[in-house]
Amino acid sequence: MTRKNAAAEVVRTLRERILSGALQEGTALRQEKIATELGVSRIPVREALTQLEAEGLVKIVSHIGAIVAEWSLEEIRQTFEMRAVLETWILGAALPFMTEADLLKAEAVIEEMETADLEGWGQMNWRFHEALYSPSRKDHVIAMLRKTHENIDRFLHMHMKLTDGRKKAQTDHRQLLELCRAKDFHRSEAVLRNHILDVSDRLVESVELGRKIAAAQRPRRRQRRKITPEAQQTGDLSGDLPTKPT
Amino acid sequence: MTRKNAAAEVVRTLRERILSGALQEGTALRQEKIATELGVSRIPVREALTQLEAEGLVKIVSHIGAIVAEWSLEEIRQTFEMRAVLETWILGAALPFMTEADLLKAEAVIEEMETADLEGWGQMNWRFHEALYSPSRKDHVIAMLRKTHENIDRFLHMHMKLTDGRKKAQTDHRQLLELCRAKDFHRSEAVLRNHILDVSDRLVESVELGRKIAAAQRPRRRQRRKITPEAQQTGDLSGDLPTKPT
DNA sequence: GAGTCACAAATTGGATACAATTTTGCCACC
DNA sequence: GGTGGCAAAATTGTATCCAATTTGTGACTC
């Protein structure tokens, strides 16, 4: 299968690496290096970086370079607050239209999550939430929320790796599901709100801890072009793209 | 004064043209044409288009081209709903910290808007809202809202050009300001909510009307590359950028 | 020895050139 | 007259090359 778009493929690869934590925040993304490792020229790489910057995953400084974006704890907190506000609202808007079929779909996702590994967990988590919101028919809002989820997914990933918050999430999800089934507007919104804000608090702690650990692991190596190549990664990306057959 | 970044300048120019309505929705954005008219190569133009796509102002289809993004009425409606939800929330969060200085700043913007022309109106409108939200200290949320405002600014622009909704907006703004001064949480949020949703309803009507007018004005010219170059614009952009001195 | 200036190396930004893809105009054919 | 297919034209995607910018290094000065 031949790809249509080198740039799109680079975006996919880099995004995956960032979301999974393979490329940690602060890591320098050198165009040339990525280009050679992925078997393309720098042009599609630059385009990919631009797109990822728009997504909030990468930060580009003109003439200096690109790094995996570092979100402040405050930014993360506020993003979760926004989620709490928007998602409780959209849940309320969805409840009147929610059918048993919707609930069963959400329930199936919960079951799936029981045995899911860490990698796929974040995406499934979103699929659960989405199942509850989609009856609202507010597709554009949902699309926006999906982007938000994706952006903070890497922090969720880090959190779930450090602590085992998945159990708590599962019970929250089941409780939320039952309240939705009972069409209990007030309590379902309250549970959702608490679920989001609770995860936020714990997650922020995890991120803080994770950053301290990461900082302790690399006290050596001094700055270079104002951008520290952290663990001199950029990861070995070779093999992710088929090298051009000339 | 020599610019640092050709791409950034192209973004600025194109964004301005789109927001002001000089480039109408659906207009094809041909890379080569824009490049020559702005005196740069296609590389920065492509980068600009990518960025604008992320902002939601442009839509790019691989191997086909870019057009000024066409938002469905439903998308516009939902965006305003999100605004209503988020902005009432953040207003409530800002109220306890709001000082007379903040109120005076907002009041000054209202005064400024009395005599503002259509072009600058949208930006001032945002400055007013921002003044009320900034005491919340939720900078990241505010930044996000700014982007949202900017995205729908072009529809607001179209609306204000067709109907004279500015008078109504001004009275709404003054009323909101006084309720904030009185720290009346409940009523200020209600007024803000109604203000946003009311504008939304009227604006959607205007956009619908505006599109009908636009459609009637160009029944000729058949499709070309699946993208209709609407009023064969791309506008005369020459002169916006200093042509490179060789 | 510390600070400073100049120059070299590394890296990104942009322009030109070429390849790939899509559209369209044209012509045969039904 | 309409339709399908093929080739040319137009346009986008990518590679390569050159320019601009930043950072690192070392010599020189005080």
Side-chain angles (χ1 to χ4, degrees):
Chain A
M1 171 190 165
T2 168
R3 68 180 180 283
K4 289 280 177 56
N5 232 338
E9 204 62 22
V10 175
V11 167
R12 255 176 33 80
T13 305
L14 287 180
R15 184 193 291 133
E16 198 179 288
R17 297 278 162 170
I18 294 171
L19 294 183
S20 74
L23 289 175
Q24 292 188 354
E25 47 190 11
T27 305
L29 301 169
R30 291 282 135 75
Q31 300 176 0
E32 186 71 41
K33 190 165 186 177
I34 297 172
T36 56
E37 283 179 351
L38 266 60
V40 296
S41 85
R42 274 174 46 221
I43 297 289
V45 172
R46 285 171 52 179
E47 201 165 314
L49 291 176
T50 306
Q51 282 183 245
L52 291 170
E53 181 180 39
E55 287 183 33
L57 294 178
V58 158
K59 193 175 174 216
I60 300 176
V61 181
S62 184
H63 281 286
I64 302 253
I67 63 172
V68 178
E70 298 175 299
W71 280 35
S72 71
L73 299 180
E74 186 55 28
E75 277 177 310
I76 297 175
R77 243 181 243 120
Q78 287 181 23
T79 303
F80 272 92
E81 278 189 72
M82 277 179 43
R83 270 195 57 194
V85 172
L86 283 175
E87 295 189 24
T88 52
W89 162 63
I90 201 173
L91 179 69
L95 263 184
F97 306 105
M98 207 178 286
T99 66
E100 185 60 24
D102 297 316
L103 292 164
L104 287 175
K105 204 161 79 178
E107 204 159 9
V109 178
I110 293 183
E111 292 305 328
E112 217 180 327
M113 288 171 78
E114 285 290 355
T115 59
D117 63 346
L118 195 59
E119 301 314 311
W121 196 87
Q123 252 188 326
M124 284 185 205
N125 182 50
W126 164 246
R127 290 227 320 276
F128 168 74
H129 283 261
E130 186 185 29
L132 296 184
Y133 307 152
S134 61
S136 71
R137 301 285 178 80
K138 297 183 191 296
D139 297 347
H140 190 236
V141 175
I142 292 174
M144 226 230 111
L145 285 172
R146 173 168 40 239
K147 282 187 206 162
T148 306
H149 270 261
E150 192 165 84
N151 278 350
I152 56 183
D153 196 36
R154 56 184 166 137
F155 303 117
L156 200 57
H157 189 275
M158 181 190 283
H159 175 53
M160 294 301 171
K161 193 153 67 181
L162 288 177
T163 75
D164 192 28
R166 281 187 279 181
K167 298 278 172 267
K168 174 70 163 56
Q170 285 294 74
T171 59
D172 281 0
H173 288 169
R174 286 189 194 282
Q175 188 184 2
L176 179 57
L177 186 69
E178 288 316 312
L179 289 170
C180 287
R181 185 167 270 138
K183 303 276 188 201
D184 188 333
F185 281 73
H186 192 63
R187 280 190 214 161
S188 60
E189 288 182 13
V191 165
L192 177 59
R193 174 179 199 78
N194 285 338
H195 168 62
I196 294 174
L197 295 182
D198 186 57
V199 168
S200 172
D201 289 342
R202 295 163 187 273
L203 176 144
V204 165
E205 284 173 23
S206 291
V207 171
E208 208 170 1
L209 178 66
R211 285 182 181 170
K212 277 181 188 162
I213 294 173
Q217 280 179 344
R218 49 167 165 70
R220 57 197 176 280
R221 279 187 90 83
R222 70 170 183 283
Q223 284 199 340
R224 174 194 179 78
R225 307 196 96 233
K226 273 279 176 52
I227 289 181
T228 65
E230 309 295 313
Q232 74 250 44
Q233 347 191 358
T234 308
D236 186 359
L237 294 171
S238 63
D240 282 311
L241 276 181
T243 39
K244 279 281 272 284
T246 310
Chain B
M1 169 190 161
T2 168
R3 65 182 181 283
K4 289 279 177 57
N5 230 340
E9 204 62 21
V10 175
V11 168
R12 253 175 35 80
T13 306
L14 287 180
R15 184 193 290 133
E16 198 178 288
R17 297 279 162 169
I18 294 171
L19 295 182
S20 74
L23 290 175
Q24 292 189 353
E25 46 191 11
T27 306
L29 301 169
R30 291 283 136 75
Q31 300 175 0
E32 186 71 41
K33 191 163 186 179
I34 297 172
T36 56
E37 284 180 347
L38 267 59
V40 296
S41 84
R42 275 173 44 222
I43 298 288
V45 171
R46 290 172 55 88
E47 199 168 318
L49 291 175
T50 306
Q51 283 184 242
L52 291 169
E53 181 179 38
E55 287 184 31
L57 295 178
V58 158
K59 193 173 174 217
I60 300 176
V61 182
S62 183
H63 279 288
I64 302 260
I67 64 173
V68 178
E70 296 175 302
W71 281 35
S72 73
L73 299 180
E74 186 56 26
E75 277 177 310
I76 297 174
R77 245 181 242 117
Q78 287 181 24
T79 303
F80 272 92
E81 279 189 70
M82 280 181 41
R83 270 196 56 193
V85 171
L86 283 176
E87 295 190 23
T88 53
W89 162 63
I90 201 173
L91 179 69
L95 262 186
F97 305 105
M98 207 177 286
T99 65
E100 184 62 23
D102 297 315
L103 292 164
L104 286 175
K105 204 162 80 179
E107 202 159 9
V109 178
I110 294 183
E111 291 306 326
E112 220 180 326
M113 288 171 77
E114 284 291 353
T115 59
D117 62 347
L118 194 57
E119 301 315 311
W121 196 85
Q123 250 187 327
M124 285 186 205
N125 182 50
W126 164 246
R127 291 229 320 277
F128 169 73
H129 284 260
E130 187 185 28
L132 296 184
Y133 307 152
S134 62
S136 72
R137 300 284 178 80
K138 297 183 191 296
D139 296 348
H140 191 236
V141 176
I142 292 174
M144 225 229 109
L145 285 172
R146 173 170 38 239
K147 281 187 205 161
T148 306
H149 269 262
E150 194 165 82
N151 278 350
I152 56 184
D153 197 36
R154 55 184 166 138
F155 303 118
L156 199 58
H157 190 274
M158 182 190 279
H159 175 54
M160 293 302 170
K161 192 152 69 182
L162 289 176
T163 76
D164 193 26
R166 281 186 280 180
K167 296 280 172 265
K168 173 70 162 58
Q170 285 293 74
T171 59
D172 281 0
H173 287 170
R174 286 188 194 281
Q175 189 186 2
L176 178 57
L177 186 68
E178 288 317 312
L179 289 170
C180 286
R181 185 166 270 139
K183 303 277 188 197
D184 188 333
F185 281 74
H186 192 66
R187 279 189 215 160
S188 61
E189 287 182 14
V191 164
L192 177 57
R193 174 177 198 80
N194 285 337
H195 169 60
I196 293 174
L197 295 182
D198 185 59
V199 167
S200 172
D201 289 342
R202 295 163 187 273
L203 177 145
V204 165
E205 285 173 23
S206 290
V207 171
E208 206 171 2
L209 178 66
R211 285 182 181 170
K212 277 182 188 159
I213 293 173
Q217 280 178 345
R218 48 166 164 71
R220 56 197 176 279
R221 278 185 92 83
R222 70 171 182 281
Q223 283 198 342
R224 172 193 181 79
R225 307 195 98 233
K226 275 278 173 54
I227 288 181
T228 63
E230 308 295 313
Q232 76 251 40
Q233 345 192 1
T234 310
D236 185 359
L237 296 172
S238 63
D240 283 309
L241 277 182
T243 39
K244 281 280 275 284
T246 309

